Amino acid sequence: MSHTSQDSSESRSGSEHDRENSLEGALSDLDVAGAKETSDKMTFPEGGARAWFVAAGTAGVMFCTLGYINAFGVYQEYYQSHQLQDQSPSSISWIGSLQVFFLFAGGVVGGPLFDRYGAKGIWPAAVAFVFSVMMTSICKEYYQFLLVQGIVGGISAGMSMAPCMAATPQYFQKNRGIALGLAVAGSSLGGVIFPIALGKMLSNPRLGFGWTVRICGFIILVVLAISCAGIRARLPPRKSQFFLLSAFKDAHYVAVIGATLLMILGVFIPLFYLPTYAVEHGMNKELASYLLAILNGASLFGRVLPGLLADRFGRLNTLCAAGLSSGILILCWPSTTTSVSIIVFSALFGFCSGAIVSGVSVCLASCSKDPGNIGTYMGMGMGIASFAALVGPPVNGALVTHYNGYDQVSIFSGMVVLAGAVTVILAKQMTGQGVFAKI
C-alpha cells in the first residue's frame, strides 16, 4: 500500500509539474507573439512596392478630393455672375467653406474607422463623392448647392481622404515627410488641372455648366476607382475604444492641433477669393481662372521639397517656416495690383502654403506613439481644426462686403497664420527638447 500511495503521489506531482510547464510555455508563446506584434508595429518598411502603391493611391484620392475642392475659387467667381448673382460673396463662400470644413471634419469618423476596420470604408465614401459631383451639375438654387456641393460633397470627400492619410504613415517613419509630401502633392496636381478645365469648359457655350461639372465627375470616377484599390492597412485593426480621448492629455498634441487650427483659419482665403480679386483689378476672367492652377502648381513643389527638408531638419521646424512665410505673403497680398504681380503672388504663396497641408498631417501623425492609432490622432486633430475652415471664408467674405476691399482680409488672415507659426514654436517647447531642437 505504501508503494502504491507513493507512486500515486509521484504521478500527481509529475502531472502538476507538466501543467505548470504547459502554462509557462503558453505564457511564453503569448509573450513572444505580443513582442512580435509590437516589433511589427514599430518596424516600418520605409519603401517597397506595397508602401509606394499606397502612397500613389493616396495621391490619386487627394487629386479627386482636396484637388477638386481647391478649384472652388472658379466656382465662386462663376456663381457670383450666374446662378447665384443675387447672393453676397459671403453667402456663396459658405458652400466652399462647408466643403472644406467637412473635408477635414470627416477625419473624426474616417480616421478611427480606418484604425478599427481597415481601408474598406473608403469605397462607400468614394461613391457618395462622385454622386455629389454629378448632382451639383443639375443644381439651380442656393440651398441645393449648399446641401449637395457643400455638405454631401464635403463629408464624402473627408471620409474618402481620411483612410488614405492614415494608411501612408503606417509604412514610413524615417521617410514619412517625403512620403506624405508626395501623396498630398496629388491635391496640387488636381488643383492645377481642375481650375484650368473648369475655366475652359465654363467659357464654352456648347458645354454649359451642367456638362462641365459632369465631365469633372467622370474624371473623378475613373481616378478614384483606381486609387481606392491601392489603399491597404499594414497593421491589424485596433480593438479598443473608438476615440482616444487620453491623447488630449499630451500638451504637445494639443499645441500641434492649435497651430493647425490657426493656420487653416487663414491659409485658404486666397484659394477662395484670388480669381475674384484679380478680375476686380482688371485681369480678364479666363486668365484669372488660371491663377488657382498657378498657385496649386507651385504648391506641388511646396509639398514635395519641404517634405524632404522635414525629414532632414525637423517636421515642426519646416511647418513653422511654412506658416511664417505664408502669413507674411498674405499680409502683402493687397499690394499686388497688376496682373504680373498677382501672378507672382500666386506662385510664391502656392509654394509656401503648400507645405502647410502636408506639414500638419506629418506632425499630427508623429504625435502618436503607436502607429496603429495614427488614423485616430490625425482624425481628431483635423476634426477640431476643421472649425477654422468653416468660419474663415465667410468671415473674410463679410469683411470684403463691409469694407469693399481686401486690406482687412489680408490683415486678419495673415495674422492668424503667423499666430499658428508661433504656436508651432510652443509645440516644440512642449516636447522638452527645446525651441532649437531639430524636430
Side-chain angles (χ1 to χ4, degrees), residues 104-183:
F104 292 117
V108 174
V109 177
L113 278 177
F114 173 80
D115 287 343
R116 288 176 64 88
Y117 302 106
K120 56 189 175 185
I122 194 174
W123 289 102
V127 171
F129 183 63
V130 173
F131 173 78
S132 74
V133 176
M134 295 301 188
M135 291 302 293
T136 301
S137 69
I138 60 175
C139 290
K140 304 291 184 185
E141 303 293 332
Y142 175 70
Y143 78 90
Q144 295 172 341
F145 287 106
L146 200 67
L147 176 63
V148 174
Q149 188 175 9
I151 298 176
V152 177
I155 292 174
S156 55
M159 293 289 288
S160 301
M161 190 177 79
C164 308
M165 294 298 290
T168 302
Q170 286 191 353
Y171 292 84
F172 299 91
Q173 169 62 20
K174 185 177 67 175
N175 298 321
R176 185 174 290 171
I178 182 59
L180 270 176
L182 287 168

Side-chain angles (χ1 to χ4, degrees), residues 19 21 30 41 43 78 114 138 156 158 172 218 230 247 266-267 278 283 313 320 380 386:
R19 282 198 299 271
N21 285 341
L30 285 173
K41 279 187 175 184
T43 303
Y78 186 83
F114 173 80
I138 60 175
S156 55
F172 299 91
F218 285 122
V267 80
M283 185 179 290
F313 298 108
C320 181
M380 293 190 305
S386 65

Side-chain angles (χ1 to χ4, degrees), residues 1-9:
M1 285 293 292
S2 62
H3 287 292
T4 304
S5 176
Q6 184 177 356
D7 291 343
S8 175
S9 175

Side-chain angles (χ1 to χ4, degrees), residues 204-288:
N204 186 340
R206 290 180 297 176
L207 284 176
F209 177 79
W211 270 108
T212 293
V213 178
R214 281 191 284 273
I215 289 170
C216 290
F218 285 122
I219 294 172
I220 290 170
L221 172 64
V222 173
V223 176
L224 275 183
I226 298 171
S227 301
C228 290
I231 306 301
R232 292 285 186 278
R234 181 178 72 89
L235 303 174
R238 187 181 74 234
K239 304 297 184 183
S240 60
Q241 64 267 35
F242 193 79
F243 295 113
L244 299 173
L245 299 182
S246 59
F248 295 104
K249 296 178 181 178
D250 183 357
H252 169 64
Y253 178 59
V254 173
V256 172
I257 293 174
T260 303
L261 187 147
L262 288 168
M263 289 187 186
I264 289 177
L265 183 61
V267 80
F268 281 100
I269 304 310
L271 287 169
F272 279 67
Y273 291 104
L274 195 55
T276 305
Y277 173 86
V279 170
E280 290 179 5
H281 284 78
M283 185 179 290
N284 69 69
K285 291 186 177 182
E286 185 174 355
L287 180 57

Side-chain angles (χ1 to χ4, degrees), residues 43-82:
T43 303
F44 296 83
E46 299 293 353
R50 167 55 63 191
W52 289 113
F53 196 41
V54 170
T58 302
V61 174
M62 295 294 286
F63 172 91
C64 297
T65 53
L66 184 57
Y68 177 72
I69 291 173
N70 277 348
F72 184 77
V74 178
Y75 281 110
Q76 173 92 19
E77 196 281 326
Y78 186 83
Y79 290 157
Q80 285 180 210
S81 57
H82 291 80

